[in-house]
Each structure stands twice: as C-alpha cells, then as structure tokens.
Amino acid sequence: KKKDIIGKNIKMLMPEQYRQAHDEGMKKFLASDKAAILGKRMEIEGLKKNGDIFPIELRVDETLIEETGDRFFSGAIRDITSRKNAVKAIREGDMVFTVDQQQYLQGYLPIDFLVLYNKYGLIPTGDIITGPSIVDIRNVDSVADMVNKRFR
C-alpha cells in the first residue's frame, strides 16, 4: 500500500545483502554527484512485505529543487517474476509459447500517429510492424536478449 512506502527509506524494499552496498553507493554519490544507476533500468532483487525475494526491474531518478537545494529520489519498480518464469518455462519445455505484448507499439505508437496526423497531416509510410508476437523455443533467447538490452 502507498502509505506503507511513501516517504520511507528504499532499503525496506531490498534484501538484507544489498543494503550496505546501497548505503556506500549513496555516500559516494552525495560526495561526488556521480551516479552509476540514476536514469537507468536495471534488474535486481526486491523484498516483499512478507519477506519473499523476487526479481524486479528498477529505475531511480533524482529531482533537485534549485531554490532550496533539496534532493528527492524516486523509483519505479516493476515485478518481472512472470516474465522470468515464462522464459524459464519455454527454455525447459514446460511451456510451448507465450504472447509478447509490446505496449509502445500496440498502444502508444498509434496515438502518436493520430496526433501527428491531426496536427501536421503526417502519415507514416511503409510497413509498421506492431501487435503481439509469439515467443517460443525458437526465439525465446533472442527476445530475452532484446529485453535485457532495453530494445523492448
């Protein structure tokens, strides 16, 4: 629930073995203003309220209030358990296929096209490959690789 995490230290969402590295990374960042993770998506482990550890995708950003010098950090966390389980099941032969939904191509890109058409009369030319695709044993590794490289 929102009330359980807003304004709290992010460490409450980390397994114990990562907390010291987090503290050290924050000290280095605050001393140097150089961060290795800000603005980047990464796959790490998260900690559920019940103590279970699970795979997450995390992105952390910083907001600096110039007038006061205050810094705020925000994080976006996505549970990627289903994705990891599907890839594993396909590789091991326990699942024949899954459907790959590409939200940008299926949802947001058409809206962009409508805006461009309405504002400027622009219409895309050529084929635009969108829609769901099938992920199976033939392409599971390449799709997983594209996800890890942030192409999807």
Side-chain angles (χ1 to χ4, degrees), residues 67-127:
E67 294 82 17
T68 64
D70 290 334
R71 286 184 151 145
F72 297 92
F73 297 93
S74 60
I77 298 172
R78 177 182 303 152
D79 182 345
I80 58 173
T81 303
S82 296
R83 182 175 81 206
K84 294 284 191 180
N85 289 344
V87 168
K88 181 179 181 216
I90 290 171
R91 285 181 177 148
E92 294 176 356
D94 295 330
M95 182 186 293
V96 178
F97 71 91
T98 188
V99 176
D100 177 23
Q101 298 285 352
Q102 298 179 55
Q103 299 306 318
Y104 177 74
L105 293 176
Q106 290 174 246
Y108 308 120
L109 188 60
I111 300 301
D112 288 344
F113 288 158
L114 286 172
V115 169
L116 290 173
Y117 177 73
N118 282 331
K119 280 190 163 187
Y120 309 108
L122 299 174
I123 299 174
T125 60
D127 293 335

Side-chain angles (χ1 to χ4, degrees), residues 32-54:
S32 69
D33 251 8
K34 295 180 182 175
I37 68 163
L38 287 181
K40 298 177 184 173
R41 289 188 305 176
M42 66 189 101
E43 290 185 13
I44 60 171
E45 292 179 326
L47 183 67
K48 292 184 179 181
K49 191 174 185 177
N50 68 5
D52 290 346
I53 294 173
F54 67 111

